[in-house]
Amino acid sequence: MKRVLSPLLIGLLATGLIACSKQGPDTQVAVEPTAVAGQLSVGLAISTQNNPFFVALRDGADAEAKAQGVKLITVDAQDDSAKQISNIEDLIQKKVQVILINPADSDAVAGVVKEAVKAGIKVVSLDRSVNGAEVSAHIASDNVAGGKMAAEFLMEKIGGKGNIVELEGIPGSSAARERGQGFHAIVDGKADLKLVAKQAADFDRAKGLSVMENILQGNKDVKGVFAHNDEMALGAFKAIEAAGLKNVVVVGFDATPDAVKAVKAGQLAATVQQKPELIGKMGVDTAIKLGKGEAVDKFIPVPLDLVKQ
Amino acid sequence: MNVQQKATLQKLGPFIALLVLAAGLAITSPDFLTVGNLLNVFRQVSINALIAFGMTLVILLGGIDLSVGSILALSSVVTALMLSHGVDPVVATSVGILAGAGMGMVNGLIISKGKVAPFIATLGTMTILRGLSLVFSEGRPITGLNSDFFAMLGGGYVAGFIPVPVILMLVMFAVFWFVLKRTVFGRHVYAVGGNEEAAALSGIKTDRIKIWVYTLSGAMAATAGMILTSRLNSAQPTAGTGYELDAIAAVVLGGTSLTGGRGWIFGTLVGALLIGILNNGLNLLGVSSFYQQVIKGVVILLAVLLDRANKK
């Protein structure tokens, strides 16, 4: 009999463990067959919780779901696209009404997003878009606005005139395109402002350094630099420091911990910060609207912040 | 109860555990026991099960294959590169699976002819092959695999509702069951795993058996890779990371002994289903992914500990 008992025990223990975890905060979920009238159930398929950016996104969604009385079921892909697909399949079986997806890989999730839509579930992409399948809305940082914000700050700092430099991210990438577009919307056509150099440094710190060194060979009187990300901005600062130039205004993008430190130390003038918690919060708000059958915009830009001294 | 009845009951242990777990989930989650969800679980399980079938033979030999996740990734990358350059999908898929078999054969050669411990040999090839898949893919996912045949491997249905990967899993299950139960090769695998010296003395070419077993393991990992790549519609150089552990867990949960010589393929299928159902059930219940890992680990340990206790 012992031999039959032990597997039974394993099974019971497994079920017991599941039952234990049901006392956790997000567990009233378990017993309801489908959403109770008026109560929305939303799945959040997140790419990873090993990165503070996405943890903040999840926290923002969690807090808003609690405030609004929405059942939020979070599944974590641990950066594995295959796991993310399984997770979303499970959410489809769970019959949630809306899935908020933060793709681990934009291409790989297209198939399962189509499956969800076919099952009558509204899908909203967060931060990263979905390639190859239609979603109800895409919520991400407003990179164009961020570029404008950086340009306006740079103008103000240099008094609206002088030579400026733009370090571009990987050409063709959406971040580089949009950040550049916002920046040019402000600086183009200003009589006293001259863009003496615009070169790609591929979001890379070492390339930011060498590209800036080359630029400084030809232009000693650079007043300001806008880099499409912090890595390039930090590289550019090294070049400026080595060239012995003072009071050059360098503005970066992303507010990485390194860059925030550099801003505090007075090396970078500012960096544009994304607001991941706000992306999560707006995701849940959009899910609520979709649940009520209201129309939502295809692209919902999330405002940014400027970190300065 | 005679010895044979006891042995049969012990073999059925994992199966009973599976039924208990399924019953528990059916009670706690109303979404669990639906045809749609069960097909969904079987499809999710198929990738791990295919790898685990190959791993069962490796573990029956008393060996281990840590390189399966890397083999999966590299053969996927090879196939995806061919597909994206317009190679015929049947050719590309076959080459991918043969490439996986070749990588497995290299494992077998290093282990048998080079007399390297399987753990070390496959740890080395795991690292090399992962590196190569990053090299060939330049670290990026390979997309643009426009092929209906290839899309069907992971996403297609037979008779309108049974997923192709599930059929493939069941067919391979039957093949492995037959090979282990009914062929000379199968008996030799048990013999070598049970006592290598005795097997060699009784005229079994142990090196040849080992090479074949690792070759099969590589081919199965590559086959799983084809399904995964088809489902993702892209080959990811980082795909399959950690899959070796899931496969080993499935084999061990199924009652196959890590010291070799004892085990069966039905247990592995059940083990893979146990892990898959646990994943699915915990997702349906909305359990945090952090706790999911803890629970999975505890279940694996309990299974092994109870198995040990029974054998005393």
Side-chain angles (χ1 to χ4, degrees), chain B residues 157-222:
Chain B
Y157 293 89
V158 174
F161 73 103
I162 308 169
V164 172
V166 174
I167 301 287
L168 198 61
M169 172 177 80
L170 294 176
V171 168
M172 290 319 292
F173 167 72
V175 169
F176 273 79
W177 184 86
F178 180 82
V179 165
L180 278 178
K181 206 80 174 174
R182 293 269 180 268
T183 64
V184 176
F185 173 75
R187 277 200 298 280
H188 285 180
V189 170
Y190 280 104
V192 174
N195 186 337
E196 192 174 341
E197 217 167 312
L201 288 173
S202 60
I204 297 174
K205 296 198 169 71
T206 56
D207 280 1
R208 196 178 292 176
I209 299 287
K210 283 185 190 169
I211 294 168
W212 271 113
V213 163
Y214 283 93
T215 305
L216 271 175
S217 174
M220 293 308 286

Side-chain angles (χ1 to χ4, degrees), chain A residues 6-7 18 78 87 89-90, chain B residues 13 44 231 280 283 285 293 310:
Chain A
S6 59
I18 298 167
Q78 292 161 343
N87 283 342
E89 285 167 349
D90 291 347
Chain B
Q44 291 175 3
R231 297 208 65 203
N280 168 259
N283 268 346
L285 291 173
Q293 296 189 35
N310 272 337

Side-chain angles (χ1 to χ4, degrees), chain A:
Chain A
M1 255 342 267
K2 237 171 74 190
R3 286 172 169 79
V4 199
L5 262 177
S6 59
L8 273 170
L9 271 173
I10 303 176
L12 282 176
L13 273 163
T15 341
L17 277 165
I18 298 167
C20 286
S21 58
K22 277 175 64 185
Q23 286 150 9
D26 44 4
T27 44
Q28 322 79 309
V29 183
V31 207
E32 312 296 329
T34 44
V36 194
Q39 209 193 0
L40 190 69
S41 72
V42 176
L44 171 63
I46 204 152
S47 61
T48 176
Q49 296 187 47
N50 283 341
N51 174 331
F53 183 87
F54 296 112
V55 173
L57 191 156
R58 182 206 62 194
D59 288 346
D62 266 347
E64 183 69 0
K66 237 168 236 145
Q68 303 282 347
V70 168
K71 289 190 299 191
L72 186 72
I73 303 149
T74 304
V75 287
D76 174 8
Q78 292 161 343
D79 263 336
D80 178 347
S81 294
K83 192 163 170 34
Q84 186 156 51
I85 289 187
S86 294
N87 283 342
I88 294 172
E89 285 167 349
D90 291 347
L91 289 174
I92 296 172
Q93 296 300 329
K94 179 83 192 143
K95 301 184 192 75
V96 296
Q97 284 120 306
V98 183
I99 292 176
L100 304 174
I101 176 170
N102 159 235
D105 178 85
S106 295
D107 290 293
V109 292
V112 78
V113 166
K114 280 182 193 155
E115 271 176 52
V117 172
K118 210 163 68 187
I121 296 169
K122 303 264 192 252
V123 180
V124 176
S125 53
L126 303 184
D127 185 54
R128 297 179 188 148
S129 58
V130 174
N131 290 345
E134 183 94 347
V135 295
S136 297
H138 176 55
I139 302 177
S141 291
D142 191 348
N143 277 312
V144 178
K148 284 184 187 166
M149 194 185 272
E152 276 159 0
F153 177 77
L154 188 63
M155 290 251 295
E156 185 197 312
K157 274 285 190 189
I158 62 174
K161 57 183 174 206
N163 291 340
I164 54 172
V165 169
E166 180 186 6
L167 294 180
E168 285 184 293
I170 294 170
S173 66
S174 65
R177 249 189 356 254
E178 291 161 11
R179 291 169 189 184
Q181 184 193 334
F183 180 73
H184 282 275
I186 301 295
V187 300
D188 284 1
K190 296 276 188 300
D192 296 333
L193 217 53
K194 197 171 167 218
L195 188 66
V196 291
K198 171 186 167 181
Q199 282 192 36
D202 301 347
F203 291 129
D204 183 272
R205 194 185 294 207
K207 280 188 190 154
L209 169 67
S210 60
V211 168
M212 195 65 209
E213 279 170 352
N214 294 340
I215 292 172
L216 288 175
Q217 291 303 317
N219 306 279
K220 283 289 179 209
D221 56 344
V222 170
K223 291 272 182 288
V225 178
F226 170 55
H228 289 183
N229 83 342
D230 285 336
E231 286 298 299
M232 296 189 295
L234 290 165
F237 171 74
K238 284 282 169 219
I240 291 163
E241 197 183 33
L245 297 176
K246 296 266 184 280
N247 304 323
V248 179
V249 178
V250 183
V251 180
F253 209 115
D254 287 342
T256 62
D258 263 8
V260 172
K261 242 185 271 167
V263 169
K264 283 203 181 108
Q267 300 174 330
L268 300 187
T271 173
V272 181
Q273 181 173 37
Q274 299 199 51
K275 293 183 179 170
E277 14 3 81
L278 195 56
I279 298 179
K281 177 186 183 299
M282 288 168 79
V284 171
D285 291 342
T286 307
I288 293 171
K289 281 189 193 154
L290 287 168
K292 285 183 193 153
E294 289 174 23
V296 297
D297 289 336
K298 275 271 163 197
F299 174 60
I300 302 171
V302 179
L304 299 141
D305 243 352
L306 196 66
V307 179
K308 53 191 175 198
Q309 220 176 5

